[in-house]
Amino acid sequence: MPMPSLRLVFASLGLISLAACGGRGSVAPSYQQELFNTGASPFARNFDATVNETCEAARRALLSQGFLTTMGQPDTVDATKNFQPSAETHVVVSFHVVCTPGENATNQSIAYVNAVQDGYALKKSDTSASVGLSVLGSLSLPIRSNSDAMVKISSETVPAGKFYDRFFNLMGHYLNTVPRSAPVAADEVKSKPLVPSLIVSSPELTPTPIVVQTPAAATAIQASDAVAAGTASDVPAAAAAATPAAPRTTATQ
């Protein structure tokens, strides 16, 4: 093959490689796909319920599907569920629900939902060591050990789609079936004075207050009672001593 032809071939290969590199560099990163538009969000849904009722419906929906839920605050629900597609893979789905007031804070709310899928794989590692025995010369005994561990290999937000639609529909089901507390309008609240108690209005039924005496006062009262009792017992004796005895008569025959 003539030399100019070889140069042409090498030049063509160089252009092809540059085009391939340029094609790889033109791929937009994943975060560039975020639009942040003002339209309807697939991760949010409006409900005709209060914030607490909406989050309670989300908690019930997750519990009904086998998720382990934690509710640190009334307006937040976190849940996890474990899956094992194969013997050496493990998947964890984490839910995060936040409830906020809607346009009408009294009976409307918005539920924001985000689900993350984390993937784990079993990693096996072999370690070996040797022990030298100086007595026997340069003899080495290999020692092997195996250790298995689950290593996180992926983490991805579950994309929008029917997955969240099914969850929101289940939330609506629990909002419609579980009894909820209805708010009372401010103009419907009426108050009236209570009827006076019979005990307060009737003197006969008024309880007598109990007087608690101190030990010193109780001792003084007991001493005065004893003196009064002793004086009363001495009066009959003195009266008997002052009365003259009646003359004794003897009958004669």
Side-chain angles (χ1 to χ4, degrees):
M1 180 180 290
M3 293 299 294
S5 300
L6 291 175
R7 291 177 181 176
L8 182 60
V9 171
F10 287 130
S12 301
L13 292 175
L15 291 175
I16 293 173
S17 61
L18 289 175
C21 294
R24 293 195 195 97
S26 62
V27 177
S30 299
Y31 62 84
Q32 294 293 347
Q33 301 176 7
E34 300 294 335
L35 301 178
F36 292 103
N37 53 18
T38 58
S41 173
F43 301 95
R45 185 70 60 89
N46 296 321
F47 292 97
D48 293 332
T50 62
V51 171
N52 293 345
E53 292 170 348
T54 300
C55 268
E56 177 62 19
R59 187 180 72 90
R60 291 173 181 263
L62 292 170
L63 287 174
S64 67
Q65 303 303 310
F67 281 82
L68 179 63
T69 63
T70 56
M71 199 169 182
Q73 298 179 356
D75 58 349
T76 304
V77 181
D78 293 320
T80 57
K81 188 176 182 179
N82 299 324
F83 302 88
Q84 190 163 354
S86 63
E88 297 185 355
T89 58
H90 184 74
V91 177
V92 178
V93 176
S94 302
F95 251 88
H96 185 66
V97 184
V98 177
C99 305
T100 61
E103 296 180 359
N104 185 358
T106 304
N107 55 3
Q108 287 186 355
S109 59
I110 305 174
Y112 297 92
V113 182
N114 172 264
V116 178
Q117 176 178 299
D118 297 329
Y120 298 84
L122 184 63
K123 181 180 180 181
K124 299 180 179 181
S125 59
D126 297 336
T127 58
S128 60
S130 60
V131 178
L133 301 177
S134 59
V135 178
L136 301 178
S138 60
L139 179 63
S140 298
L141 300 176
I143 300 176
R144 290 183 174 274
S145 62
N146 299 328
S147 60
D148 300 340
M150 298 298 295
V151 180
K152 188 175 182 179
I153 59 174
S154 64
S155 181
E156 180 185 7
T157 299
V158 178
K162 296 183 178 180
F163 177 81
Y164 295 101
D165 292 338
R166 293 193 299 267
F167 174 72
F168 287 133
N169 292 336
L170 188 57
M171 284 183 58
H173 166 74
Y174 280 102
L175 283 174
N176 294 330
T177 56
V178 176
R180 296 183 292 167
S181 59
V184 180
D187 54 354
E188 296 181 1
V189 178
K190 298 180 181 180
S191 62
K192 59 181 180 179
L194 297 176
V195 179
S197 176
L198 295 176
I199 296 178
V200 177
S201 60
S202 178
E204 293 80 4
L205 300 179
T206 303
T208 303
I210 299 175
V211 179
V212 179
Q213 299 176 353
T214 60
T219 304
I221 292 174
Q222 292 176 359
S224 61
D225 293 343
V227 171
T231 304
S233 61
D234 293 341
V235 170
T243 303
R248 186 176 182 180
T249 59
T250 304
T252 58
Q253 295 180 353

